[in-house]
């Protein structure tokens, strides 16, 4: 079979990762982005976000001329499959905002009216169940040459390229049984070893995506609830509990890392969208609401520890290590660091911050209200409490001496459990989930 040509609409971390991996396989790839500034940056080899290896692969494919970028939808006419990876953020009520998504689908439908041969439109954006059958399909009503598939993705920020190359599963939702064939063929060309493929209808595929993320969120809120009990029990450490229960194959070891709560652009948004969606069917979904409530109150654990330290707010300085919502990304969306800094500013603490990647994004919000540092030792210098908020590798390697030499008062709150408590027993080391 001839090589399948793809186009991708929306160049966030999902769309751009797919584009550069596909192009690096030597396949002609077209990326479409309507944000001019973003588009120009990418076309010049400079994405507007950090994702490991993406920039390298992008520059490589630009050099090999296997990739091109445009804001013109017409360029999809020369391709066989269009992946829609437009962002679907939350609106202010926690519902999913489909404005940009719908705009892209409308434009796609208009453009595809100019094409005679078959074209596959793949919905990769996370959309609330029934969106494809009730909103997308009606828009394509007059496009008899268009096949629609729902193909949710499970990429993690910071691991996108790896997750794309080695997925645990591919889900393809379609209207008719044989309508997944072209996309399946594409994946056969993409993967040397084809992962398991589950074929479903549209709504099941959409529901799989939400259920997956919500289950992960549930695991985190569960272990955080356990952590909060452990913290009250002398000598009990939630990490030992997580390790032990994680060995039970029915539970599994991943996503049992206690901490300040989950953030990012996906888990909080998908959880609140599903809470809203489930209200349509009558009574509220109690489990999902509890998962969200626990997550929202988890940062209070840090404030409680801080209060126990009895620091005099307006004379004391706090250093924060880690601003991004997790390691290996510069993304600060829904990051606990924002909630915490807001609270600490209200209490009049002087605040110093460090992050290997996210300083620039943080500066856009807080400007000169807080102090930014490139070196960890400078950030913690003369501060009275250091709070570790993100699990960056450089923080896991910190030795007690850096704190004892630089800090004014040697209080450490390890909200991510990146340090070994046994090595820090000469300092006032406190941690989430450690009694
Ligand atoms: C999540 C899912 O993991 C991906 O499978 C999915 O494709 C993606 O959302 C999406 O819908 O696009 P991501 O938001 O990149 O990926 O981040 P995660 O690795 O899931 O972490 C989310 C948050 O949970 C982070 O704040 C992280 O620090 C926290 N977390 C994670 C914990 O607090 N404990 C854990 O054990 C694991």
């Amino acid at each position: 079979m001839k090589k399948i040509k793809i186009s991708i609409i929306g160049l966030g971390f999902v769309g751009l990762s797919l584009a550069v991996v596909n192009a690096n396989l030597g396949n002609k790839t077209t990326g479409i982005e309507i944000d001019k500034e973003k588009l120009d940056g990418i076309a010049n080899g400079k994405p507007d976000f950090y994702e490991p290896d993406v920039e390298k692969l992008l520059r490589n494919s630009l050099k090999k001329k296997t990739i091109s970028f445009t804001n013109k939808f017409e360029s999809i006419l020369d391709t066989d499959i269009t992946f829609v990876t437009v962002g679907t953020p939350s609106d202010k009520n926690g519902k999913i905002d489909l404005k940009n998504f719908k705009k892209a689908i409308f434009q796609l439908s208009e453009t595809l009216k100019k094409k005679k041969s078959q074209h596959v439109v793949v919905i990769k954006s996370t959309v609330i169940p029934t969106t494809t059958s009730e909103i997308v399909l009606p828009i394509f009503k007059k496009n008899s040459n268009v096949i629609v598939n729902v193909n949710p993705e499970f990429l993690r920020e910071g691991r996108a390229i790896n997750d794309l190359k080695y997925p645990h599963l591919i889900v393809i939702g379609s209207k008719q049984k044989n309508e997944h064939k072209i996309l399946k063929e594409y994946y056969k060309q993409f993967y040397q070893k084809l992962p398991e493929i589950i074929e479903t209808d549209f709504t099941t595929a959409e529901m799989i995506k939400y259920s997956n993320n919500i289950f992960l969120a549930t695991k985190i809120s569960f272990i955080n609830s356990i952590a909060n009990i452990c913290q009250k029990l002398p000598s009990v450490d939630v990490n030992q509990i997580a390790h032990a229960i994680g060995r039970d194959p029915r539970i599994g070891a991943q996503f049992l890392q206690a901490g300040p709560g989950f953030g990012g652009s996906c888990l909080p948004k998908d959880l609140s969208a599903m809470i809203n969606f489930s209200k349509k069917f009558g009574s509220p979904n109690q489990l999902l609401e509890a998962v969200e409530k626990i997550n929202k109150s988890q940062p209070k654990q840090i404030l409680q520890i801080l209060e126990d330290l009895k620091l005099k707010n307006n004379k004391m300085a706090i250093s924060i290590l880690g601003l991004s919502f997790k390691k290996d990304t510069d993304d600060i969306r829904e990051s606990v660091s924002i909630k915490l800094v807001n609270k600490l500013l209200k209490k009049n603490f002087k605040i110093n911050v460090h992050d290997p990647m996210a300083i620039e994004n943080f500066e856009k919000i807080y400007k000169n209200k807080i102090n930014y540092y490139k070196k960890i030792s400078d950030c913690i210098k003369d501060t009275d409490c250091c709070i570790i908020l993100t699990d960056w590798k450089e923080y896991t390697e910190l030795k007690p001496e850096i704190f004892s030499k630089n800090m004014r008062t040697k209080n450490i709150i390890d909200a991510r459990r990146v340090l070994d408590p046994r090595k820090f027993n000469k300092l006032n080391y406190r941690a989430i989930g450690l009694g």
Side-chain angles (χ1 to χ4, degrees):
M1 195 179 173
K2 73 172 177 59
K3 280 261 178 174
I4 294 175
K5 281 199 211 162
I6 69 163
S7 44
I8 299 157
I9 302 176
L11 300 176
F13 92 98
V14 173
L16 189 59
S17 300
L18 173 61
V20 297
V21 171
N22 191 63
N24 271 269
L25 292 172
N27 304 328
K28 286 262 182 229
T29 310
T30 307
I32 297 161
E33 174 58 58
I34 53 164
D35 179 330
K36 179 87 174 63
E37 207 181 322
K38 191 178 172 90
L39 179 71
D40 288 348
I42 292 173
N44 286 310
K46 199 94 201 100
D48 63 340
F49 57 91
Y50 170 72
E51 179 64 40
D53 291 337
V54 164
E55 193 169 322
K56 189 179 79 194
L57 292 171
L58 171 63
R59 285 168 189 253
N60 226 8
S61 37
L62 284 168
K63 215 191 282 164
K64 285 197 214 149
K65 296 194 174 14
T66 49
I67 205 159
S68 60
F69 297 103
T70 173
N71 55 3
K72 304 223 162 31
F73 272 59
E74 265 60 33
S75 58
I76 63 170
L77 294 171
D78 184 38
T79 67
D80 308 293
I81 302 181
T82 301
F83 288 87
V84 180
T85 53
V86 174
T88 51
S90 292
D91 67 15
K92 56 180 183 314
N93 303 315
K95 284 191 188 150
I96 184 169
D97 178 358
L98 289 177
K99 200 168 64 246
N100 291 339
F101 174 79
K102 277 196 216 162
K103 226 160 121 191
I105 297 291
F106 268 118
Q107 235 176 312
L108 197 49
S109 155
E110 285 309 307
T111 311
L112 284 170
K113 283 178 186 157
K114 297 178 197 143
K115 191 177 175 187
K116 297 257 157 17
S117 56
Q118 201 162 51
H119 196 92
V120 180
V121 172
V122 181
I123 309 297
K124 262 200 177 293
S125 302
T126 300
V127 289
I128 207 77
T130 69
T131 301
T132 306
S133 58
E134 290 177 6
I135 294 174
V136 177
L137 269 200
I139 297 175
F140 285 117
K141 206 166 63 200
K142 291 198 176 132
N143 298 90
S144 53
N145 56 335
V146 169
I147 290 176
V148 176
N149 287 147
V150 175
N151 176 215
E153 53 76 25
F154 304 101
L155 307 186
R156 289 164 291 180
E157 281 186 48
R159 302 283 299 268
I161 299 297
N162 181 75
D163 289 352
L164 190 67
K165 285 184 173 165
Y166 310 103
H168 62 281
L169 179 73
I170 291 175
V171 175
I172 304 179
S174 46
K175 188 162 177 243
Q176 319 263 7
K177 253 206 153 306
N178 59 355
E179 290 192 343
H180 55 261
K181 270 195 187 150
I182 300 173
L183 185 56
K184 211 165 157 183
E185 189 52 45
Y186 166 70
Y187 281 129
K188 271 191 201 157
Q189 294 181 5
F190 191 92
Y191 293 112
Q192 279 174 346
K193 188 172 172 290
L194 194 64
E196 182 190 353
I197 295 184
I198 294 187
E199 291 157 22
T200 67
D201 61 13
F202 292 143
T203 309
T204 306
E206 291 161 340
M207 194 65 195
I208 288 171
K209 167 71 191 187
Y210 276 92
S211 309
N212 209 94
N213 270 0
I214 290 169
F215 188 74
L216 296 174
T218 306
K219 270 187 113 173
I220 301 168
S221 278
F222 160 78
I223 201 66
N224 284 341
S225 304
I226 298 292
N228 299 346
I229 304 172
C230 292
Q231 225 165 287
K232 305 275 182 246
L233 304 173
S235 85
V236 176
D237 184 347
V238 71
N239 280 359
Q240 270 196 317
I241 313 278
H243 176 70
I245 66 172
R247 297 291 290 271
D248 184 333
R250 293 169 301 176
I251 295 175
Q254 294 192 44
F255 276 69
L256 287 180
Q257 182 64 53
F262 54 81
S265 66
C266 304
L267 263 45
K269 158 180 90 92
D270 293 353
L271 181 60
S272 92
M274 190 48 75
I275 288 172
N276 266 298
F277 181 65
S278 60
K279 281 186 188 144
K280 265 175 72 162
F281 309 108
S283 47
N285 189 305
Q286 292 180 24
L287 175 67
L288 305 195
E289 290 192 348
V291 171
E292 187 176 61
K293 203 166 157 200
I294 293 165
N295 196 55
K296 283 188 172 157
S297 68
Q298 191 60 12
K300 285 190 200 136
Q301 294 298 320
I302 302 171
L303 293 168
Q304 186 55 55
I305 300 177
L306 201 57
E307 210 149 282
D308 294 347
L309 295 174
K310 299 202 184 335
L311 303 177
K312 286 194 197 80
N313 306 359
N314 54 0
K315 294 221 173 80
M316 304 280 187
I318 309 269
S319 44
I320 296 179
L321 301 184
L323 304 172
S324 55
F325 82 98
K326 63 172 187 179
K327 67 177 173 181
D328 298 333
T329 175
D330 61 359
D331 196 343
I332 56 167
R333 282 175 290 177
E334 293 291 322
S335 178
V336 176
S337 58
I338 296 177
K339 296 174 199 165
L340 191 72
V341 167
N342 288 344
K343 291 261 190 292
L344 295 178
L345 279 173
K346 277 197 190 129
K347 288 179 187 284
N348 287 326
F349 283 113
K350 175 180 178 240
I351 301 168
N352 292 355
V353 299
H354 173 274
D355 190 284
M357 284 288 165
I359 290 279
E360 222 175 285
N361 286 337
F362 220 67
E363 239 175 332
K364 284 180 199 153
I365 305 179
Y366 292 101
K367 312 226 160 55
N368 59 2
K369 286 190 190 141
I370 59 175
N371 311 302
Y372 308 89
Y373 291 91
K374 288 208 168 93
K375 268 177 79 181
I376 298 174
S377 55
D378 291 341
C379 178
I380 62 175
K381 188 130 197 82
D382 294 334
T383 60
D384 302 284
C385 180
C386 172
I387 305 173
I388 304 175
L389 266 194
T390 310
D391 50 345
W392 285 99
K393 186 166 176 282
E394 35 274 80
Y395 303 154
T396 63
E397 290 162 353
L398 291 173
K399 303 258 174 343
E401 295 73 43
I402 188 169
F403 296 98
S404 52
K405 267 191 205 149
N406 289 292
M407 289 181 72
R408 184 163 55 192
T409 327
K410 282 82 178 132
N411 294 309
I412 301 170
I413 303 178
D414 185 356
R416 279 287 177 186
R417 304 303 310 270
V418 297
L419 303 174
D420 180 350
R422 289 165 302 184
K423 294 188 184 148
F424 283 79
N425 54 12
K426 292 215 174 82
L427 307 177
N428 189 19
Y429 174 87
R430 309 284 298 272
I432 283 194
L434 182 67

